[in-house]
Amino acid sequence: MNLRQAPYPKTRHRRLRKSPEIRGLSRENKLSVEDLIWPIFVCEGKNLEVPVESMPGVFRYSVDLLVEKAKLAADLGIPAICIFPYTDPKLKTKDCAEAWNPENLSNKATRAIKKAVPNIAVMTDVALDPYSIDGHDGFVENGRIVNDKTVEALVKQALSQAKAGADIIGPSDMMDGRISAIRTALETEGFHDVILLSYAAKYASGFYGPFRDAVGASGALKGDKSTYQMDPANGEEALRTIARDLDEGADMIMIKPGMPYLDICRRAKDMFGAPTFAYQVSGEYSMLQAAIKNGWLNGNKVIMESLYCFKRAGCDGILTYFAPIAAKELNN
Ligand code: PBG
C-alpha cells in the first residue's frame, strides 16, 4: 500500500466522521444478515427448550422447536443454520455407528428443517465426538486417535448427512485426507451440489469448553485434542492446512476459534481469496455474555463490534451464536 495524505490541516480525518451519513458513505466494511450462520443445538423429545448453563441465552431444542427456530431465522434473513446434536449417552459407542445412522438426531433434524423451511440452508458437522464413548473426533486405539480408519467413518457420516438433505457439510474433525475422501464419495454418489465448508484451521482451543457442555461431550472426553487440532502457537501451519483442503476439494474454509485468530483470517483471505469463514465459538460467546449479564459491557455494542472485526479481517461470513440477536439489530 502507498498511503498518501496531505499534512494537517489539509487532511482532517474527522471530516469523514462528522455525521452518520458521511460515516456510512466512507465505511470500509459492511456486515449483513447474509453473512451469518447460526449454530444451534438439538436434543431428543418434544416441546423441549433446555438452557445450556455455560452459554446464557442458548438452548437445546427438540426437533419440533428447532423447526420453529429455523423459521424464525429464515424470517430474519439468516441464510444458514448449523446443527449440533446432543446425543443420548447410551448411544455413544466405541465404533461410533450412530454417526452414520440415517435415523440419528442430526439427520432427523435436517429432514424436518428441509421439509418445513426449504429456504434456509442446513449445515451439519462431521466428526465422531458426539457418538464416541471416548469423546474424541476420531477412533481411539491404544490411546491414540487413528487417522485413516476415522476417515472411512467420516465418509459414511458425511454421506448420511447428504442423503438427509444437508446443504453444507462441515468436517470439523481435523483428520488428514478427509476432504479428498468425502469429496470423492459425494461425487461418486451423485451429490454434486453439496458444499464442503472445511474446518481447515481448527485449533486445540480452550474456548470450546461451553460447547462440549452443550452437546454433552465434556464428561466423555479423555485427554485433549492436541494430536489432531492445531497448536495455538502456529500460524504458517494454518496456511498449509488451508491450501491442502482447497486442493482436496473444499468449497469454503473456516478458521476456528474466531476472535483470537483474526491474523489467520486475514492471511488466509489474502493468500487464497477463497470464501472464508470464522467460527466465533462457544467460549467467545460465553465470555461476552458473562460480562454483558453483569452489566460490565453494553451488549448490542460489543456483539456488533465483535462481528465487524471478522469482516475487517477479510471473512465472508461468521458462525456465531449471536446470529439471531445480530440479525434483529441489522434489520432495525
Ligand atoms: C466437534 C466440534 C467442536 C466445536 C464444533 N464442532 C468442539 C471440539 O472440537 O471439541 C466447537 C464449537 C464451539 O465451541 O462453539 N468436532
Side-chain angles (χ1 to χ4, degrees), residues 62-76:
S62 51
V63 174
D64 51 333
L65 295 192
L66 180 78
V67 168
E68 295 305 310
K69 293 294 159 184
K71 273 190 200 133
L72 177 128
D75 290 345
L76 286 168

Side-chain angles (χ1 to χ4, degrees), residues 84 125 127 129 137 172 199 202 207-208 211-212 225 229 256 279 281-282 321:
F84 290 102
D125 196 67
D129 55 330
D137 294 15
S172 73
Y199 288 63
K202 178 174 178 181
F207 288 99
Y208 308 147
F211 172 95
R212 292 179 191 164
K225 300 193 175 184
Q229 298 179 348
K256 178 185 176 188
Y279 196 144
V281 300
S282 57
Y321 301 96

Side-chain angles (χ1 to χ4, degrees), residues 41-43 47-62 65 69 86 210-216 285-286 293:
F41 301 109
V42 57
C43 61
N47 198 27
L48 276 183
E49 188 181 85
V50 185
V52 177
E53 230 173 281
S54 50
M55 299 180 75
V58 168
F59 300 84
R60 298 180 199 125
Y61 300 104
S62 51
L65 295 192
K69 293 294 159 184
Y86 175 88
F211 172 95
R212 292 179 191 164
D213 294 340
V215 297
Y285 173 88
S286 299
K293 299 279 171 214

Side-chain angles (χ1 to χ4, degrees), residues 171 174 178 197-202 230 237-238 240-246 250 252-256:
M174 288 298 278
R178 89 274 206 222
L197 169 46
S198 171
Y199 288 63
K202 178 174 178 181
M230 286 176 50
E237 185 191 359
R240 297 204 299 276
T241 57
I242 292 167
R244 188 265 320 259
D245 285 4
L246 289 169
M252 314 196 281
I253 54 110
M254 190 202 297
I255 289 99
K256 178 185 176 188

Side-chain angles (χ1 to χ4, degrees), residues 8 15 21 49 68 78 104 115 130 133 135 174 183 214 223 225-226 232 247 265 277 285 289 292 322 327:
Y8 167 85
R15 282 182 205 127
E21 295 71 32
E49 188 181 85
E68 295 305 310
I78 295 172
N104 73 19
K115 190 164 164 224
I133 200 156
M174 288 298 278
R183 174 58 78 208
K225 300 193 175 184
S226 51
D247 289 344
C265 297
F277 290 76
Y285 173 88
Q289 280 294 31
I292 293 164
F322 290 121

